[in-house]
Amino acid sequence: MLVLALGGKGYYVVPLLLVLLAAGCEPAVDRLRRRGRTWPVAAAGAAVALAVAVNAVVTLPVLPRGALTVPNALNKEQGEQVGWRSLVDAAVRGWSAVPARERSRAVVLAQNYGEAGALDRYGPARGLPRPYSGHMSYADWGPPPDSADGPVLLVRQQDAHGIERYFTGCRQVARVDNGHGVENEEQGAAVVLCAGTARPW
């Protein structure tokens, strides 16, 4: 609870929970064996089945998009992939505004790894180049090459205007609407076309 209260994600504590679960299994089974009771084993099995069902609903994409309000409140990751195709559609509209002669030097830059993941997953089939992002582990793939000194198609969250200070001649060319009313980080994201970077990558 402390991790969640401090803004962490529920899965941050999974490694510790696995250790605690393993440590508690043997004493629990030994205690049940000594008492010779079978009903606690059946009750424990039912509790595990219920926990698996609840966790599946909260963490896996098994619900329709319209039923994500409660799971999204518990685990916002549940709704983060809703609208990925819409995000890519908006990026394709923005990419079409890049002159064909400049596309070999152009870059698609996503503000966060969710946006970059959407562009990586669905973008190539729609004619988009591999996206870059400096967010979290996406940064491990490195920045664009120095030769990528042309236009920058920036996909950013709707309230993150500050990122544009690193680029020149920026104008919004599209906005993302996931079409399902699901509030996630990509809903309302802006697709911004910039003439170039204000400094080298």
Side-chain angles (χ1 to χ4, degrees):
M1 296 304 278
L2 180 61
V3 170
L4 295 176
L6 293 174
K9 303 205 190 260
Y11 57 80
Y12 290 177
V13 297
V14 167
L16 177 60
L17 293 177
L18 292 175
V19 171
L20 295 175
L21 178 66
C25 285
E26 194 278 329
V29 170
D30 184 54
R31 187 173 187 181
L32 291 173
R33 233 187 260 132
R34 277 189 278 122
R35 292 188 177 183
R37 297 179 181 169
T38 57
W39 68 265
V41 175
V48 168
L50 178 62
V52 167
V54 168
N55 275 299
V57 168
V58 171
T59 61
L60 298 175
V62 295
L63 294 174
R65 293 177 183 113
L68 289 177
T69 304
V70 172
N72 240 9
L74 299 172
N75 173 24
K76 73 176 198 155
E77 305 302 326
Q78 180 71 289
E80 283 305 311
Q81 291 185 24
V82 173
W84 273 21
R85 291 176 201 261
S86 300
L87 182 138
V88 172
D89 289 344
V92 167
R93 287 194 303 276
W95 186 250
S96 69
V98 176
R101 67 184 179 282
E102 296 182 23
R103 288 185 184 169
S104 63
R105 297 174 24 249
V107 170
V108 175
L109 182 71
Q111 181 185 357
N112 67 43
Y113 67 84
E115 294 156 351
L119 295 166
D120 243 349
R121 172 70 178 89
Y122 298 110
R126 304 286 309 278
L128 292 177
R130 174 183 165 247
Y132 291 89
S133 179
H135 187 231
M136 306 283 281
S137 292
Y138 243 91
D140 293 344
W141 283 292
D146 290 337
S147 60
D149 58 356
V152 177
L153 187 68
L154 175 63
V155 180
R156 64 158 174 81
Q157 292 167 311
Q158 62 178 334
D159 55 351
H161 301 280
I163 195 171
E164 292 174 24
R165 72 179 179 270
Y166 298 107
F167 307 99
T168 59
C170 297
R171 62 187 171 92
Q172 184 175 315
V173 291
R175 182 161 300 278
V176 178
D177 179 5
N178 62 38
H180 301 285
V182 174
E183 285 301 320
N184 58 21
E185 289 185 0
E186 283 65 54
Q187 177 68 343
V191 178
V192 178
L193 182 59
C194 302
T197 59
R199 62 187 73 169
W201 291 108

